[in-house]
C-alpha cells in the first residue's frame, strides 16, 4: 500500500478511536435527534393560517427555515470537528516525538503530510455529509420537504470540512497545537463576520461593505462555501431568515468554489514546503 | 556492502548562533557494534537525528550504507529506536507492528511472519493483543526495538535502548544486539549506560561539544592504561607527593588511591616504596581501565 494511504488510513483510525471525535459525533447525533424531534412536533402542531390557499407552501416555508438554520449549525459543528482534530496533526506529533519513529521509514515527508490531510479531510467531510444527509432525511420524513439540489449542500459542507482540515494541518506545521487551532478558528470567525458584513452591504447597497466581505472570503472561503451550501437547499425564497440574520441576500459566484479548491491546494503545498524543512 | 556503514565529515548543526554539533567526523565499520558516548548536551541525539533525516545539518556531509545522507532509497535498510519516543498508544502491539511493517513496504505475508518473529524476540508474544497504553515503560521500549528490527535492517540505530529496562530486560536487549552482530548487522548504540556499552560494543566514540574527542576499538582504548588500586594505612602528604612525582595519581580518597600506569612492571616498585616510607599496605590490585574510567577521564580532560 502506498505510504500516503497508510498514513491516511491510520489518521482515520486514530480519529475514530479518539474521544474528541467520538464526543463530536455524539454531540452531532444529539443535535440531529433534537432537530428531528423539533421538526416532528412543529409539523404536527403547525396551524396553517387561513389566508394560505395552499397550506403546503406555508409548511415548506417553515420546514425550510428550520432546515437552513440547522445547516448553519451543521456547518459550525463541521468547522469545529475539522479544526480540533487537525490542530495537532503535525504539531502534537512533533511535541510528542511520535514522528521520530515514522520519518526515518522509507517514505517522504510530503507523503506524511498529504496522508494526514487526506485522512483528516475525509473524516471531516464524512462528518459534514452524514450530518447534512441526516438533517435532510428527517426533514423529508417529518415535513415531506426535499430537493435533490440539497444533496449538493451536503457535498459543499463536506468541502468546507476538507478546506478547514487542510488549512489547520498547514497551520500545524508552523505553530503549536493550541496556537494552530486558535488561529484557524479566528480566521473562520473572521470569514463569518466578513460574510455578514457583505450581506449587510448588499442590503444597504454599500460597495465598501461588500468588498470587505469579498476580501474576508478570499482570506478563507469558508463562509462562501457555507452560503453556497445554504443556497443549494433551495429554501431561500421560502425562508427569509434561512441561514441566520444576514444570510440569503447575495450568493457567492462559482469563482469562490474554484478559489476554495485552489486554497486547499495552496494550503497543502505550503504545509508540504514547511514540513519538508522542519527540524524534528 | 560498503566497508563503512556510517561516515560523517565535519557534520555540523547550529541553532541560531549556538552550535549543537560543532564538527563531527565518524567512521563506523560495517558489521560492528558502535557505542556513541558523550555527556548530556554533547550533541549525540542531534547527531543521530541528522543521520536519520529528522534534523537538517547546517554543514558537512555523511553517508549511510554508502549512500549520502538524505537518500530516501536507503531508509528501507535502516532501523531506528528513538530515545524519547511515544508511539500511538491506541494501537495494540500487533497493530502497531503491522502499521510500521506497511511503512516499510512489507507485504501482508511478510508482516505476519516477521511480527510473530519479533514479538518472540522481545518476549512480548502474550501482549500482542494488548493496547500500548497498557504497556509498562520497559514493554514500550521492547516493542520499540521490535519495530526497529521488524524489516530485518542492515543498520540499526538504538538511542538509549535500555534506559527504562530492568536487569532482565537489559540482558534481553544485550542478547538482541549480540544476535544482530552475529547476523553481520551494524548497530549504532547511543547509551548512557556505560556498562552496557562496554559489554556489547566493538568500538566507541566519545563526543564533547559536538566533536569526537576519543574513538577506537574498546580493546585499544581500554588496554592503553592500567590502573592500580592501593589501600594502605599511614599515607602521609609526603608519601603522596613522592608517589605523584613518579606516577599519575588517578584518584585519592582517604586511605585508598588509584594510580594510572603505563608499565605494569612498576607495581613491585610502588609497593616497595610505600612500605619503605612507612605505609601499611593492605590491598593492591592491578586492573584495566573501565569504560567509565575512560569516559570520565576524557570528559574531564576536555573540560565538560
Amino acid at each position: 500500500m502506498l505510504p500516503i494511504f497508510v498514513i491516511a488510513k491510520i489518521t482515520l483510525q486514530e480519529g475514530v478511536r479518539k474521544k474528541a471525535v467520538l464526543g463530536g459525533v455524539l454531540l452531532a447525533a444529539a443535535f440531529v435527534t433534537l432537530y428531528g424531534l423539533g421538526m416532528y412536533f412543529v409539523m404536527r402542531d403547525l396551524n396553517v393560517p387561513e389566508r394560505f390557499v395552499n397550506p403546503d407552501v406555508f409548511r415548506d416555508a417553515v420546514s425550510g427555515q428550520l432546515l437552513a438554520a440547522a445547516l448553519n449549525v451543521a456547518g459550525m459543528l463541521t468547522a469545529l470537528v475539522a479544526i480540533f482534530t487537525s490542530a495537532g496533526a503535525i504539531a502534537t506529533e512533533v511535541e510528542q516525538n511520535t514522528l521520530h519513529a515514522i520519518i526515518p521509514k522509507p517514505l517522504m515527508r510530503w507523503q506524511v503530510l498529504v496522508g494526514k490531510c487526506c485522512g483528516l479531510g475525509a473524516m471531516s467531510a464524512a462528518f459534514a455529509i452524514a450530518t447534512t444527509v441526516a438533517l435532510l432525511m428527517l426533514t423529508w420524513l417529518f415535513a415531506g420537504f426535499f430537493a435533490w439540489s440539497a444533496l449538493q449542500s451536503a457535498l459543499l459542507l463536506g468541502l468546507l470540512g476538507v478546506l478547514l482540515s487542510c488549512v489547520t494541518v498547514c497551520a500545524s506545521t508552523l505553530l503549536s497545537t493550541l496556537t494552530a487551532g486558535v488561529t484557524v478558528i479566528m480566521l473562520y470567525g473572521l470569514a463569518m463576520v466578513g460574510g455578514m458584513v457583505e450581506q449587510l452591504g448588499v442590503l444597504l447597497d454599500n460597495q465598501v461593505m461588500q468588498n470587505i466581505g469579498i476580501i474576508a472570503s478570499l482570506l478563507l472561503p469558508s463562509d462562501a462555501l457555507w452560503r453556497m451550501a445554504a443556497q443549494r437547499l433551495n429554501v431561500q425564497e421560502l425562508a427569509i431568515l434561512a441561514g441566520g440574520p444576514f444570510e440569503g441576500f447575495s450568493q457567492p459566484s462559482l469563482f469562490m468554489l474554484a478559489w476554495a479548491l485552489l486554497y486547499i491546494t495552496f494550503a497543502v503545498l505550503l504545509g508540504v514546503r514547511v514540513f519538508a524543512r522542519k527540524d524534528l | 556492502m560498503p566497508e563503512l556503514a556510517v561516515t560523517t565529515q565535519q557534520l555540523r548543526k547550529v541553532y541560531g548562533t549556538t552550535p549543537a554539533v560543532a564538527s563531527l567526523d565518524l567512521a563506523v565499520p560495517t558489521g560492528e557494534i558502535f557505542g556513541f558516548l558523550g555527556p548530556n548536551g554533547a550533541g549525540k541525539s542531534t547527531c543521530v537525528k541528522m543521520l536519520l533525516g529528522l534534523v537538517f545539518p547546517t554543514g558537512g556531509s555523511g553517508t549511510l550504507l554508502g549512500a549520502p545522507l538524505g537518500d530516501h532509497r536507503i531508509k528501507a535498510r535502516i532501523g531506528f529506536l528513538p530515545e524519547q519516543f511515544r508511539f500511538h498508544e491506541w494501537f495494540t502491539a500487533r497493530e502497531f507492528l503491522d502499521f510500521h511493517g506497511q511503512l516499510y513496504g512489507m507485504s501482508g505475508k511478510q508482516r505476519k511472519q516477521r511480527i510473530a518473529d519479533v514479538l518472540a524476540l522481545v518476549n512480548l508474544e502474550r501482549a500482542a493483543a494488548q493496547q500500548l497504553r497498557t504497556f509498562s515503560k520497559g514493554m514500550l521500549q521492547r516493542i520499540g526495538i521490535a519495530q526497529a528490527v521488524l524489516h530485518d535492517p542492515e543498520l540499526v540505530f538504538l538511542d538509549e535502548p535500555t534506559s527504562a529496562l530492568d536487569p532482565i530486560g537489559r540482558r534481553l536487549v544485550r542478547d538482541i544486539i549480540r544476535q544482530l552482530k552475529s547476523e553481520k548487522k551494524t548497530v549504532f548504540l547511543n547509551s548512557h549506560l556505560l556498562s552496557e556499552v562496554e559489554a556489547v560494543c566493538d568500538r566507541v566514540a566519545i563526543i564533547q561539544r559536538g566533536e569526537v574527542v576519543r574513538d577506537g576499538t574498546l580493546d585499544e582504548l581500554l588496554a592503553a592504561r592500567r590502573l592500580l588500586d592501593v589501600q594502605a594505612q599511614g599515607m602521609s602528604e609526603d608519601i603522596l607527593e613522592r608517589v605523584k612525582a613518579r606516577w599519575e595519581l588517578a584518584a585519592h580518597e582517604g586511605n585508598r588511591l588509584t594510580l594510572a600506569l603505563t608499565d605494569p612492571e612498576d607495581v613491585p616498585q610502588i609497593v616497595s616504596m610505600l612500605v619503605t616510607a612507612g605505609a601499611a599496605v593492605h590491598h593492591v590490585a592491578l586492573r584495566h581501565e573501565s569504560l567509565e574510567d575512560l569516559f570520565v577521564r576524557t570528559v574531564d580532560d576536555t573540560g565538560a
Side-chain angles (χ1 to χ4, degrees), chain B residues 213-245:
Chain B
V213 289
R214 195 177 295 263
D215 67 335
T217 65
L218 261 182
D219 291 343
E220 283 167 9
L221 293 173
L222 301 184
R225 250 165 60 123
R226 307 288 287 273
L227 295 176
L228 183 72
D229 294 319
V230 179
Q231 190 180 349
Q233 295 289 346
M235 271 197 288
S236 61
E237 284 298 316
D238 178 51
I239 296 174
L240 279 176
E241 287 305 317
R242 286 164 64 186
V243 168
K244 279 199 276 187

mmCIF file of all heavy atoms in Angstrom, chain B residues 213-245:
data_model
loop_
_atom_site.group_PDB
_atom_site.id
_atom_site.type_symbol
_atom_site.label_atom_id
_atom_site.label_comp_id
_atom_site.label_asym_id
_atom_site.label_seq_id
_atom_site.Cartn_x
_atom_site.Cartn_y
_atom_site.Cartn_z
ATOM 1 N N VAL B 213 36.184 13.390 20.615
ATOM 2 C CA VAL B 213 37.419 13.657 21.367
ATOM 3 C C VAL B 213 38.219 12.375 21.606
ATOM 4 O O VAL B 213 39.378 12.425 21.987
ATOM 5 C CB VAL B 213 37.116 14.358 22.714
ATOM 6 C CG1 VAL B 213 36.675 15.791 22.468
ATOM 7 C CG2 VAL B 213 36.074 13.611 23.519
ATOM 8 N N ARG B 214 37.584 11.229 21.435
ATOM 9 C CA ARG B 214 38.317 9.975 21.552
ATOM 10 C C ARG B 214 37.531 8.894 20.818
ATOM 11 O O ARG B 214 36.305 8.828 20.952
ATOM 12 C CB ARG B 214 38.481 9.587 23.019
ATOM 13 C CG ARG B 214 39.525 8.512 23.250
ATOM 14 C CD ARG B 214 39.673 8.246 24.737
ATOM 15 N NE ARG B 214 40.208 9.383 25.475
ATOM 16 C CZ ARG B 214 41.492 9.532 25.812
ATOM 17 N NH1 ARG B 214 42.376 8.636 25.439
ATOM 18 N NH2 ARG B 214 41.890 10.571 26.520
ATOM 19 N N ASP B 215 38.192 8.065 20.069
ATOM 20 C CA ASP B 215 37.497 6.943 19.436
ATOM 21 C C ASP B 215 38.477 5.811 19.153
ATOM 22 O O ASP B 215 39.692 6.009 19.170
ATOM 23 C CB ASP B 215 36.774 7.359 18.155
ATOM 24 C CG ASP B 215 37.724 7.769 17.046
ATOM 25 O OD1 ASP B 215 38.864 8.181 17.365
ATOM 26 O OD2 ASP B 215 37.336 7.697 15.881
ATOM 27 N N GLY B 216 37.924 4.641 18.953
ATOM 28 C CA GLY B 216 38.756 3.474 18.677
ATOM 29 C C GLY B 216 38.024 2.218 19.108
ATOM 30 O O GLY B 216 36.898 2.282 19.605
ATOM 31 N N THR B 217 38.680 1.073 18.930
ATOM 32 C CA THR B 217 38.046 -0.156 19.417
ATOM 33 C C THR B 217 38.159 -0.158 20.937
ATOM 34 O O THR B 217 39.077 0.445 21.507
ATOM 35 C CB THR B 217 38.742 -1.413 18.857
ATOM 36 O OG1 THR B 217 40.069 -1.451 19.379
ATOM 37 C CG2 THR B 217 38.785 -1.396 17.339
ATOM 38 N N LEU B 218 37.243 -0.848 21.569
ATOM 39 C CA LEU B 218 37.263 -0.890 23.032
ATOM 40 C C LEU B 218 38.571 -1.503 23.528
ATOM 41 O O LEU B 218 39.150 -1.031 24.515
ATOM 42 C CB LEU B 218 36.094 -1.715 23.543
ATOM 43 C CG LEU B 218 34.858 -0.935 24.010
ATOM 44 C CD1 LEU B 218 33.818 -1.899 24.536
ATOM 45 C CD2 LEU B 218 35.216 0.091 25.072
ATOM 46 N N ASP B 219 39.035 -2.537 22.833
ATOM 47 C CA ASP B 219 40.274 -3.198 23.244
ATOM 48 C C ASP B 219 41.438 -2.210 23.236
ATOM 49 O O ASP B 219 42.224 -2.140 24.185
ATOM 50 C CB ASP B 219 40.578 -4.388 22.323
ATOM 51 C CG ASP B 219 39.589 -5.517 22.523
ATOM 52 O OD1 ASP B 219 38.913 -5.501 23.575
ATOM 53 O OD2 ASP B 219 39.469 -6.384 21.644
ATOM 54 N N GLU B 220 41.547 -1.449 22.167
ATOM 55 C CA GLU B 220 42.639 -0.464 22.051
ATOM 56 C C GLU B 220 42.549 0.577 23.168
ATOM 57 O O GLU B 220 43.532 0.883 23.835
ATOM 58 C CB GLU B 220 42.518 0.312 20.729
ATOM 59 C CG GLU B 220 42.968 -0.405 19.486
ATOM 60 C CD GLU B 220 42.494 0.360 18.237
ATOM 61 O OE1 GLU B 220 41.981 1.503 18.355
ATOM 62 O OE2 GLU B 220 42.633 -0.217 17.171
ATOM 63 N N LEU B 221 41.358 1.097 23.332
ATOM 64 C CA LEU B 221 41.189 2.213 24.261
ATOM 65 C C LEU B 221 41.417 1.797 25.710
ATOM 66 O O LEU B 221 42.025 2.537 26.477
ATOM 67 C CB LEU B 221 39.788 2.819 24.111
ATOM 68 C CG LEU B 221 39.508 3.526 22.787
ATOM 69 C CD1 LEU B 221 38.040 3.919 22.690
ATOM 70 C CD2 LEU B 221 40.379 4.769 22.651
ATOM 71 N N LEU B 222 40.906 0.608 26.055
ATOM 72 C CA LEU B 222 40.982 0.201 27.457
ATOM 73 C C LEU B 222 42.311 -0.464 27.810
ATOM 74 O O LEU B 222 42.664 -0.551 28.986
ATOM 75 C CB LEU B 222 39.815 -0.724 27.812
ATOM 76 C CG LEU B 222 38.426 -0.105 27.608
ATOM 77 C CD1 LEU B 222 37.342 -1.067 28.078
ATOM 78 C CD2 LEU B 222 38.304 1.222 28.365
ATOM 79 N N ALA B 223 43.051 -0.915 26.791
ATOM 80 C CA ALA B 223 44.338 -1.569 27.078
ATOM 81 C C ALA B 223 45.467 -0.551 27.217
ATOM 82 O O ALA B 223 46.563 -0.881 27.683
ATOM 83 C CB ALA B 223 44.669 -2.569 25.972
ATOM 84 N N ALA B 224 45.196 0.671 26.830
ATOM 85 C CA ALA B 224 46.267 1.667 26.804
ATOM 86 C C ALA B 224 46.750 2.031 28.207
ATOM 87 O O ALA B 224 47.901 2.412 28.399
ATOM 88 C CB ALA B 224 45.784 2.914 26.070
ATOM 89 N N ARG B 225 45.867 1.926 29.164
ATOM 90 C CA ARG B 225 46.242 2.321 30.534
ATOM 91 C C ARG B 225 45.837 1.241 31.512
ATOM 92 O O ARG B 225 44.777 0.637 31.365
ATOM 93 C CB ARG B 225 45.484 3.613 30.906
ATOM 94 C CG ARG B 225 46.384 4.819 31.011
ATOM 95 C CD ARG B 225 45.611 6.103 31.020
ATOM 96 N NE ARG B 225 44.665 6.259 32.088
ATOM 97 C CZ ARG B 225 44.671 7.260 32.963
ATOM 98 N NH1 ARG B 225 45.612 8.175 32.913
ATOM 99 N NH2 ARG B 225 43.736 7.377 33.861
ATOM 100 N N ARG B 226 46.668 0.990 32.526
ATOM 101 C CA ARG B 226 46.296 0.065 33.596
ATOM 102 C C ARG B 226 46.156 0.877 34.870
ATOM 103 O O ARG B 226 46.865 1.867 35.054
ATOM 104 C CB ARG B 226 47.385 -1.006 33.789
ATOM 105 C CG ARG B 226 47.752 -1.737 32.510
ATOM 106 C CD ARG B 226 46.651 -2.679 32.059
ATOM 107 N NE ARG B 226 46.564 -3.854 32.900
ATOM 108 C CZ ARG B 226 47.278 -4.967 32.716
ATOM 109 N NH1 ARG B 226 48.128 -5.046 31.714
ATOM 110 N NH2 ARG B 226 47.150 -6.013 33.506
ATOM 111 N N LEU B 227 45.245 0.469 35.698
ATOM 112 C CA LEU B 227 45.024 1.182 36.954
ATOM 113 C C LEU B 227 45.420 0.278 38.124
ATOM 114 O O LEU B 227 45.115 -0.924 38.124
ATOM 115 C CB LEU B 227 43.561 1.597 37.092
ATOM 116 C CG LEU B 227 43.060 2.613 36.059
ATOM 117 C CD1 LEU B 227 41.576 2.878 36.247
ATOM 118 C CD2 LEU B 227 43.833 3.924 36.153
ATOM 119 N N LEU B 228 46.085 0.885 39.087
ATOM 120 C CA LEU B 228 46.486 0.140 40.283
ATOM 121 C C LEU B 228 45.729 0.709 41.483
ATOM 122 O O LEU B 228 45.902 1.887 41.832
ATOM 123 C CB LEU B 228 47.996 0.290 40.507
ATOM 124 C CG LEU B 228 48.528 -0.506 41.699
ATOM 125 C CD1 LEU B 228 48.538 -2.010 41.384
ATOM 126 C CD2 LEU B 228 49.940 -0.042 42.071
ATOM 127 N N ASP B 229 44.854 -0.109 42.058
ATOM 128 C CA ASP B 229 44.122 0.305 43.256
ATOM 129 C C ASP B 229 44.951 -0.096 44.477
ATOM 130 O O ASP B 229 45.341 -1.272 44.613
ATOM 131 C CB ASP B 229 42.753 -0.381 43.318
ATOM 132 C CG ASP B 229 41.850 0.077 42.183
ATOM 133 O OD1 ASP B 229 41.856 1.293 41.871
ATOM 134 O OD2 ASP B 229 41.147 -0.765 41.590
ATOM 135 N N VAL B 230 45.194 0.863 45.363
ATOM 136 C CA VAL B 230 46.003 0.598 46.563
ATOM 137 C C VAL B 230 45.206 1.034 47.788
ATOM 138 O O VAL B 230 44.608 2.121 47.793
ATOM 139 C CB VAL B 230 47.339 1.381 46.520
ATOM 140 C CG1 VAL B 230 48.153 1.111 47.784
ATOM 141 C CG2 VAL B 230 48.140 1.030 45.286
ATOM 142 N N GLN B 231 45.212 0.165 48.816
ATOM 143 C CA GLN B 231 44.619 0.542 50.095
ATOM 144 C C GLN B 231 45.718 0.411 51.141
ATOM 145 O O GLN B 231 46.302 -0.683 51.307
ATOM 146 C CB GLN B 231 43.449 -0.382 50.420
ATOM 147 C CG GLN B 231 42.642 0.098 51.612
ATOM 148 C CD GLN B 231 41.486 -0.847 51.912
ATOM 149 O OE1 GLN B 231 41.178 -1.734 51.117
ATOM 150 N NE2 GLN B 231 40.862 -0.654 53.049
ATOM 151 N N ALA B 232 46.016 1.530 51.835
ATOM 152 C CA ALA B 232 47.135 1.495 52.780
ATOM 153 C C ALA B 232 46.898 2.475 53.925
ATOM 154 O O ALA B 232 46.319 3.550 53.710
ATOM 155 C CB ALA B 232 48.435 1.838 52.056
ATOM 156 N N GLN B 233 47.329 2.106 55.120
ATOM 157 C CA GLN B 233 47.244 2.998 56.283
ATOM 158 C C GLN B 233 48.533 3.824 56.365
ATOM 159 O O GLN B 233 49.591 3.368 55.936
ATOM 160 C CB GLN B 233 47.114 2.165 57.576
ATOM 161 C CG GLN B 233 45.843 1.349 57.682
ATOM 162 C CD GLN B 233 44.617 2.208 57.923
ATOM 163 O OE1 GLN B 233 44.736 3.383 58.259
ATOM 164 N NE2 GLN B 233 43.444 1.632 57.715
ATOM 165 N N GLY B 234 48.406 5.040 56.934
ATOM 166 C CA GLY B 234 49.583 5.873 57.204
ATOM 167 C C GLY B 234 50.179 6.525 55.982
ATOM 168 O O GLY B 234 51.396 6.737 55.921
ATOM 169 N N MET B 235 49.320 6.859 55.025
ATOM 170 C CA MET B 235 49.854 7.531 53.827
ATOM 171 C C MET B 235 49.874 9.044 54.074
ATOM 172 O O MET B 235 48.842 9.706 54.037
ATOM 173 C CB MET B 235 49.014 7.201 52.605
ATOM 174 C CG MET B 235 49.531 5.944 51.945
ATOM 175 S SD MET B 235 48.938 5.778 50.295
ATOM 176 C CE MET B 235 47.270 5.367 50.600
ATOM 177 N N SER B 236 51.067 9.540 54.360
ATOM 178 C CA SER B 236 51.214 10.971 54.674
ATOM 179 C C SER B 236 51.259 11.784 53.377
ATOM 180 O O SER B 236 51.373 11.225 52.281
ATOM 181 C CB SER B 236 52.507 11.181 55.454
ATOM 182 O OG SER B 236 53.583 10.756 54.628
ATOM 183 N N GLU B 237 51.160 13.114 53.534
ATOM 184 C CA GLU B 237 51.276 14.012 52.379
ATOM 185 C C GLU B 237 52.607 13.810 51.668
ATOM 186 O O GLU B 237 52.682 13.856 50.447
ATOM 187 C CB GLU B 237 51.154 15.471 52.835
ATOM 188 C CG GLU B 237 49.742 15.907 53.171
ATOM 189 C CD GLU B 237 48.822 15.830 51.969
ATOM 190 O OE1 GLU B 237 49.235 16.266 50.864
ATOM 191 O OE2 GLU B 237 47.700 15.296 52.124
ATOM 192 N N ASP B 238 53.625 13.563 52.495
ATOM 193 C CA ASP B 238 54.970 13.379 51.940
ATOM 194 C C ASP B 238 55.011 12.155 51.009
ATOM 195 O O ASP B 238 55.546 12.209 49.902
ATOM 196 C CB ASP B 238 55.958 13.205 53.100
ATOM 197 C CG ASP B 238 57.371 12.958 52.578
ATOM 198 O OD1 ASP B 238 57.805 13.761 51.725
ATOM 199 O OD2 ASP B 238 57.981 11.949 52.990
ATOM 200 N N ILE B 239 54.367 11.054 51.488
ATOM 201 C CA ILE B 239 54.351 9.838 50.663
ATOM 202 C C ILE B 239 53.583 10.104 49.366
ATOM 203 O O ILE B 239 54.028 9.727 48.270
ATOM 204 C CB ILE B 239 53.715 8.662 51.434
ATOM 205 C CG1 ILE B 239 54.565 8.306 52.656
ATOM 206 C CG2 ILE B 239 53.515 7.451 50.536
ATOM 207 C CD1 ILE B 239 53.967 7.246 53.571
ATOM 208 N N LEU B 240 52.452 10.779 49.512
ATOM 209 C CA LEU B 240 51.636 11.073 48.311
ATOM 210 C C LEU B 240 52.426 11.908 47.307
ATOM 211 O O LEU B 240 52.357 11.662 46.096
ATOM 212 C CB LEU B 240 50.358 11.809 48.705
ATOM 213 C CG LEU B 240 49.215 10.956 49.232
ATOM 214 C CD1 LEU B 240 48.054 11.824 49.665
ATOM 215 C CD2 LEU B 240 48.763 9.966 48.160
ATOM 216 N N GLU B 241 53.158 12.911 47.808
ATOM 217 C CA GLU B 241 53.941 13.760 46.910
ATOM 218 C C GLU B 241 54.993 12.937 46.174
ATOM 219 O O GLU B 241 55.217 13.131 44.982
ATOM 220 C CB GLU B 241 54.634 14.889 47.703
ATOM 221 C CG GLU B 241 53.692 15.980 48.172
ATOM 222 C CD GLU B 241 52.891 16.595 47.039
ATOM 223 O OE1 GLU B 241 53.467 16.859 45.956
ATOM 224 O OE2 GLU B 241 51.661 16.765 47.214
ATOM 225 N N ARG B 242 55.604 11.975 46.912
ATOM 226 C CA ARG B 242 56.634 11.137 46.281
ATOM 227 C C ARG B 242 56.003 10.221 45.217
ATOM 228 O O ARG B 242 56.600 9.982 44.161
ATOM 229 C CB ARG B 242 57.360 10.311 47.338
ATOM 230 C CG ARG B 242 58.307 11.199 48.149
ATOM 231 C CD ARG B 242 58.765 10.543 49.431
ATOM 232 N NE ARG B 242 59.563 9.354 49.207
ATOM 233 C CZ ARG B 242 59.982 8.543 50.182
ATOM 234 N NH1 ARG B 242 59.669 8.821 51.433
ATOM 235 N NH2 ARG B 242 60.709 7.488 49.908
ATOM 236 N N VAL B 243 54.811 9.725 45.510
ATOM 237 C CA VAL B 243 54.106 8.883 44.518
ATOM 238 C C VAL B 243 53.772 9.706 43.276
ATOM 239 O O VAL B 243 54.021 9.293 42.138
ATOM 240 C CB VAL B 243 52.822 8.281 45.141
ATOM 241 C CG1 VAL B 243 51.948 7.659 44.059
ATOM 242 C CG2 VAL B 243 53.164 7.256 46.197
ATOM 243 N N LYS B 244 53.201 10.906 43.539
ATOM 244 C CA LYS B 244 52.755 11.760 42.404
ATOM 245 C C LYS B 244 53.935 12.202 41.533
ATOM 246 O O LYS B 244 53.784 12.470 40.351
ATOM 247 C CB LYS B 244 52.019 12.990 42.946
ATOM 248 C CG LYS B 244 50.572 12.696 43.312
ATOM 249 C CD LYS B 244 49.718 13.948 43.399
ATOM 250 C CE LYS B 244 49.834 14.603 44.742
ATOM 251 N NZ LYS B 244 48.895 15.717 44.932
ATOM 252 N N ALA B 245 55.110 12.286 42.166
ATOM 253 C CA ALA B 245 56.289 12.711 41.403
ATOM 254 C C ALA B 245 56.677 11.680 40.342
ATOM 255 O O ALA B 245 57.252 12.020 39.315
ATOM 256 C CB ALA B 245 57.451 12.948 42.365
#
